[in-house]
């Protein structure tokens, strides 16, 4: 098989040829190297939880040494994936909360959205009258940090959900308590000799996932907005052609904005710009990958270099002076690829040290100085670039990014008749959904998965949905796919959208696919659906809105899928999770959950069929919705 057929991104194909010429191995080579993947692992019925194992379940050996059957083994593995994902998102939020605790008027981290801080403080009964904004920030940070380990009560963020949804959580007993407690409970319950009941394991998974969606991730987004500003629409460009031959190219890859925000500042430091000149460069060019890329493009318009599957290929351009990473979704392979070029692969977090990288620790306490040191390394590396090894591919697309909930509402105000309706609500969106001009809304989110063809499912599904007047919002690497393929440009509405959606886009001044941020920012999507449901006095499961992860791959995505379903939003996956070993797990996840939480999973690895199912399900949901409104 030609490995270039494993991606639909033409820049990636050019660079795969170059990698071959340069003798560089990439994920695509490794994929072809794997003749087949382990069937037990694929189905989720290999148990490695205790030292008697691994126990692999098959019709001939239907139980592990302890007697655990396929349902128990699949359920435990699944629950641990949810715990891993929740831990990653929430630990990210914890770091942002610590950063908020360090914020000060003269320090590195300042308050950029005071109104959002005051609103949160009031929600949390923090005194705001006649107080210094930083005193308020520090008290809010302390309360946020307590959400991780508080001994009593449930997540403070649940109250942002519609009342009816809160009732469902209470009734089904999945209101999450402290974040760390939910994660620890799953790790304990899935230890050898604890929970041996698939219904209970999925129940625990849902509760833990809600500690991610309606606590950790929501906290990460809110506090990041407070510290770094709530995103507003801005223009940018996407794909590897954003690298510039004449400049020092620095790639920001990873997740947490506390590092990338400082790098953005440091890259404007006159001293470093002067140094760039001295080494013969025309300046410093920053570009982002994965969710750090999403964070900095949403707030600063920093160009998007690419997505999860392009991280190695970005280095293959030979034009990257430094790849700076913090945590999550970083291929260990980058160390080897960087070795084939002059690129410095800089790791910065004690949580994600990688053999073969250059480790320059980043600390929030010394943030700006650390960031400068890292950028300086990159600038000094420019002179080591081998011009003969440089190939920057040609394609890039323009995009508008930065659609926070506030930005969406602000845009909707463009069509509000101020004589009749108040500004600042979701009413115009509700009206479009009610009248059927928009048939529904879809969040197309998540990663790239080497089980499929990179970007194919994302782009196919998004195009099908917007053609059928379903507005799409996107986060994570899905958003980067949309941006790369021109779906986040305003003119995409006329090119690809159905008549209803195209008219709305033109009136409001938005593209048909809205960039809502990084994966923790899926909390923005939850808040948007909650706002629509609240406006209509409905539950979230009554709204014709769906979640889709066509190319998901990470544990974080499993946690997200669970909390989206638990929020009452039907969720569609383009890759089968490792649960097919248990018929009961599939029955619950893809069926019975609907009775309990009003939503379920649907999986289809054929993206055309998946798109068709989604469109028909949204139409079915409309019948229910239209009866209610
Ligand atoms: Ni989400 Fe971000 Fe991309 Fe997937 Fe990784 S970057 S948090 S996990 S691969 S979308």
């Amino acid at each position: 098989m030609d490995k270039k057929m494993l991606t639909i991104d033409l820049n990636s194909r050019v660079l795969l040829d170059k990698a071959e010429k340069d003798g560089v191995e990439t994920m695509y080579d490794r994929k072809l190297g794997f003749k087949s993947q382990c069937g037990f692992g694929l189905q989720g019925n290999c148990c490695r939880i205790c030292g008697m194992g691994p126990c692999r379940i098959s019709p001939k050996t239907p139980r592990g040494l302890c007697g655990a059957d396929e349902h128990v083994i699949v359920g435990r593995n699944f629950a641990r994936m949810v715990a891993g994902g929740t831990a990653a998102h929430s630990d990210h939020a914890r770091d942002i909360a610590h950063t908020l605790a360090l914020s000060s008027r003269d320090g590195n981290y300042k308050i950029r959205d005071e109104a959002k801080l005051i609103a949160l403080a009031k929600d949390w009964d923090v005194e705001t009258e006649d107080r210094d904004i930083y005193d308020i920030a520090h008290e809010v940070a302390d309360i946020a940090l307590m959400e991780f380990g508080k001994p009593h009560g449930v997540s403070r963020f649940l109250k942002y959900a519609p009342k009816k949804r809160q009732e469902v959580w209470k009734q089904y007993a999945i209101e999450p308590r402290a974040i760390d407690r939910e994660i620890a409970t799953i790790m304990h319950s899935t230890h050898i000799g604890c929970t041996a009941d698939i219904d209970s394991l999925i129940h625990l998974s849902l509760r833990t996932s809600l500690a991610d969606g309606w606590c950790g991730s929501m906290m990460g987004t809110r506090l990041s907005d407070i510290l770094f500003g709530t995103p507003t629409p801005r223009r940018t460009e996407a794909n590897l052609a954003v690298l510039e031959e004449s400049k020092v190219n620095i790639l920001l890859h990873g997740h947490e904005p506390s590092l990338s925000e400082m790098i953005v500042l440091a890259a404007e430091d006159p001293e470093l710009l002067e140094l760039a000149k001295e080494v013969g460069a025309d300046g410093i060019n920053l570009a982002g990958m994965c969710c750090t890329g999403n964070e900095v493009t949403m707030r600063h318009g920093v160009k998007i270099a690419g997505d999860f599957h392009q991280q190695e290929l970005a280095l293959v351009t030979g034009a990257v002076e430094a790849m700076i990473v913090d945590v999550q979704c970083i291929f260990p392979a980058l160390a080897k690829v960087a070795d084939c070029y002059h690129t410095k692969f800089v790791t910065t977090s004690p949580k994600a040290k990688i053999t073969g990288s250059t480790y320059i620790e980043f600390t929030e306490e010394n943030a700006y100085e650390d960031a400068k040191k890292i950028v300086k390394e990159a600038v000094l590396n420019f002179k080591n670039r081998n011009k003969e090894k440089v190939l920057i591919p040609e394609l890039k697309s323009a995009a508008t990014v930065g659609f926070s909930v506030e930005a969406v509402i602000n845009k909707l105000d463009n069509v509000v008749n101020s004589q009749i309706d108040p500004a600042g609500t979701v009413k115009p969106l509700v009206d479009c959904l009610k009248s059927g001009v928009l048939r529904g809304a879809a969040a197309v989110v998540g990663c790239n998965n080497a089980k499929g063809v990179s970007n194919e499912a994302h782009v196919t599904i998004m195009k099908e949905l917007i053609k059928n007047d379903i507005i799409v919002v996107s986060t994570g690497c899905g958003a980067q796919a949309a941006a790369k393929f021109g779906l986040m440009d305003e003119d995409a509405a006329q090119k690809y959208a159905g008549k209803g959606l195209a008219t709305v886009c033109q009136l409001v001044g938005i593209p048909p696919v809205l960039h809502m941020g990084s994966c923790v920012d899926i909390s923005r999507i939850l808040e948007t659906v909650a706002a629509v449901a609240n406006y209509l006095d409905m539950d979230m499961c009554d709204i014709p809105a769906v979640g889709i992860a066509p190319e998901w791959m990470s544990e974080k995505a499993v946690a997200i899928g669970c909390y989206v379903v638990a929020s009452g939003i039907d969720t569609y996956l383009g890759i089968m999770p490792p649960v097919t070993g248990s018929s009961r797990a599939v029955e619950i996840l893809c069926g019975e959950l609907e009775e309990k939480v009003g939503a379920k999973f649907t999986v289809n690895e054929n993206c055309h069929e998946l798109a068709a199912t989604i469109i028909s399900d949204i139409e079915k949901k409309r019948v229910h919705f239209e009866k209610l409104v």
Side-chain angles (χ1 to χ4, degrees):
M1 185 184 197
D2 181 358
K3 62 184 163 194
K4 283 189 294 186
M5 292 302 114
L6 297 174
T7 173
I8 60 165
D9 186 294
L10 300 179
N11 282 350
S12 294
R13 290 184 183 174
V14 169
L15 289 165
L16 280 171
D17 273 342
K18 178 166 191 282
E20 179 103 40
K21 241 182 29 227
D22 292 352
V24 176
E25 179 197 278
T26 68
M27 177 201 79
Y28 295 95
D29 299 297
R30 293 189 289 276
K31 160 148 179 148
L32 293 182
F34 281 160
K35 287 288 168 272
S36 64
Q37 287 181 304
C38 166
F40 295 96
L42 280 172
Q43 297 192 320
N45 49 16
C46 170
C47 184
R48 291 184 298 105
I49 279 173
C50 88
M52 298 197 291
C55 294
R56 304 195 304 184
I57 298 305
S58 69
K60 273 196 186 148
T61 52
R63 286 175 187 274
L65 289 168
C66 70
D69 64 12
E70 74 269 31
H71 308 300
V72 173
I73 292 175
V74 165
R76 288 197 298 219
N77 288 337
F78 183 77
R80 284 195 168 199
M81 288 185 92
V82 172
T86 302
H89 281 148
S90 303
D91 210 32
H92 165 155
R94 186 191 332 251
D95 279 354
I96 304 291
H98 276 294
T99 308
L100 184 65
L102 284 175
S103 65
S104 71
R105 196 160 276 109
D106 328 304
N108 290 312
Y109 296 103
K110 303 197 171 40
I111 304 301
R112 300 264 179 237
D113 191 335
E114 289 197 8
K116 200 168 250 191
L117 171 61
I118 300 281
L120 187 60
K122 286 191 171 149
D123 285 349
W124 288 359
D125 299 323
V126 171
E127 185 56 60
T128 55
E129 291 298 311
D130 301 323
R131 280 188 86 189
D132 185 278
I133 193 77
Y134 286 92
D135 289 340
I136 299 171
H138 299 156
E139 195 174 333
V140 164
D142 281 351
I143 297 176
L145 288 166
M146 285 300 289
E147 285 301 290
F148 290 87
K150 64 185 182 187
H152 306 292
V154 298
S155 162
R156 284 175 177 269
F157 290 89
L158 301 186
K159 67 174 176 196
Y160 299 110
K163 284 265 158 10
K164 290 179 182 164
R165 184 55 22 190
Q166 294 180 45
E167 275 309 309
V168 171
W169 293 336
K170 188 170 268 154
Q171 210 188 337
Y172 190 37
I174 48 174
E175 292 173 295
R177 303 155 303 168
I179 300 167
D180 291 350
R181 181 174 183 188
E182 295 303 354
I183 295 164
T185 297
I186 282 232
M187 295 312 285
H188 176 187
S189 296
T190 54
H191 187 274
I192 163 85
C194 273
T195 309
D197 175 68
I198 181 69
D199 290 66
S200 180
L201 284 161
I202 290 178
H203 181 266
L204 287 170
S205 302
L206 291 193
R207 190 174 65 190
T208 300
S209 75
L210 284 169
D212 176 349
W214 292 88
C215 199
S217 281
M218 203 165 273
M219 181 195 296
T221 299
R222 290 258 178 122
L223 301 190
S224 294
D225 284 356
I226 288 169
L227 277 168
F228 309 120
T230 299
T232 53
R234 54 189 79 233
R235 297 289 286 166
T236 190
E237 289 175 333
N239 215 337
L240 289 165
V242 304
L243 297 175
E244 292 184 50
E245 193 139 7
S246 61
K247 291 188 178 167
V248 173
N249 288 306
I250 300 179
L251 283 182
L252 296 166
H253 174 19
H255 283 79
E256 295 180 8
S258 25
L259 166 67
S260 49
E261 284 285 329
M262 282 301 131
I263 301 279
V264 170
L265 276 182
E268 289 164 3
D269 191 292
E271 196 187 309
L272 291 172
L273 289 171
E274 192 49 46
L275 185 65
K277 246 194 227 156
E278 277 168 33
V279 298
D282 284 347
I284 301 171
N285 180 39
L286 294 183
M289 303 206 91
C290 285
C291 283
T292 274
N294 289 323
E295 299 274 356
V296 286
T297 199
M298 289 279 281
R299 296 199 177 86
H300 303 282
V302 168
K303 291 171 188 167
I304 299 167
D307 52 36
F308 179 60
H309 275 184
Q310 288 178 297
Q311 52 187 301
E312 292 167 294
L313 298 174
L315 305 194
V316 174
T317 61
V320 176
E321 273 55 56
M323 167 82 103
I324 301 169
V325 304
D326 54 8
V327 290
Q328 302 171 22
C329 303
I330 302 149
F331 277 14
L334 290 177
K336 262 205 154 168
V337 182
D339 261 356
C340 302
Y341 302 94
H342 72 303
T343 309
K344 284 224 151 127
F345 172 41
V346 182
T347 46
T348 59
S349 168
K351 290 179 201 168
K353 290 188 175 177
I354 297 175
T355 304
S357 65
T358 306
Y359 183 67
I360 307 178
E361 190 157 321
F362 173 79
T363 57
E364 282 81 1
E365 287 79 1
N366 201 28
Y368 189 63
E369 287 313 309
D370 289 345
K372 264 181 83 176
K373 192 154 110 197
I374 297 166
V375 174
K376 191 171 176 187
E377 282 278 328
V379 174
L380 290 174
N381 196 24
F382 183 76
K383 56 183 186 306
N384 298 324
R385 192 194 283 182
N386 177 349
K387 286 206 175 78
E388 277 157 29
K389 274 194 158 180
V390 172
L391 173 70
I392 299 175
E394 282 169 8
L395 299 175
K396 60 182 176 183
S397 295
T400 301
V401 298
F403 290 98
S404 54
V405 184
E406 294 83 345
V408 171
I409 290 176
N410 204 300
K411 281 283 184 187
L412 292 174
D413 281 345
N414 285 348
V415 288
V416 164
N417 179 342
S418 55
Q419 315 265 269
I420 311 171
D421 294 315
T425 74
V426 287
K427 180 166 187 293
L429 176 60
V430 169
D431 288 345
C432 290
L433 288 171
K434 271 205 306 205
S435 65
V437 172
L438 294 182
R439 308 303 297 166
V444 184
V445 304
C447 331
N448 315 127
N449 192 316
K451 285 194 171 119
V453 174
S454 309
N455 297 145
E456 186 182 40
H458 273 298
V459 175
T460 306
I461 290 172
M462 287 194 231
K463 280 190 177 164
E464 273 304 305
L465 297 181
I466 60 178
K467 191 168 92 193
N468 285 278
D469 292 321
I470 295 163
I471 189 165
V472 171
V473 298
S474 191
T475 59
C477 293
Q480 293 170 334
K484 288 193 305 174
F485 285 84
L487 302 178
M488 289 181 163
D489 200 10
E490 273 80 2
D491 69 8
Q494 301 310 321
K495 266 198 222 156
Y496 304 111
K499 206 164 147 229
L501 176 58
T503 311
V504 172
C505 290
Q506 199 177 11
L507 275 176
V508 181
I510 53 170
V513 181
L514 301 180
H515 196 313
M516 287 195 100
S518 62
C519 291
V520 293
D521 292 338
I522 289 176
S523 61
R524 299 189 200 277
I525 301 174
L526 294 179
E527 286 193 52
T528 312
V529 179
V532 170
N534 275 333
Y535 192 90
L536 292 164
D537 195 23
M538 289 181 187
D539 189 357
M540 292 168 77
C541 61
D542 300 322
I543 311 299
V546 297
I548 311 162
E551 304 180 29
W552 76 272
M553 64 84 206
S554 70
E555 291 172 329
K556 291 178 284 180
V558 180
I560 292 169
C562 285
Y563 75 63
V564 173
V565 166
S567 302
I569 301 171
D570 280 318
T571 297
Y572 297 80
L573 306 177
I575 303 284
M576 182 50 99
V579 296
T580 52
S582 159
S583 55
R584 182 75 194 126
V586 176
E587 218 168 77
I588 300 171
L589 294 167
C590 301
E592 283 176 23
L593 280 183
E594 190 161 33
E595 290 150 37
K596 293 189 167 115
V597 295
K600 62 177 181 349
F601 286 99
T602 300
V603 190
N604 190 330
E605 297 194 350
N606 177 319
C607 57
H608 299 277
E609 287 174 16
L610 187 61
T613 306
I614 295 164
I615 293 161
S616 110
D617 284 359
I618 284 183
E619 288 303 326
K620 281 185 214 145
K621 193 128 215 185
R622 283 204 65 83
V623 178
H624 165 78
F625 175 71
E626 281 166 17
K627 270 191 210 142
L628 289 180
V629 288

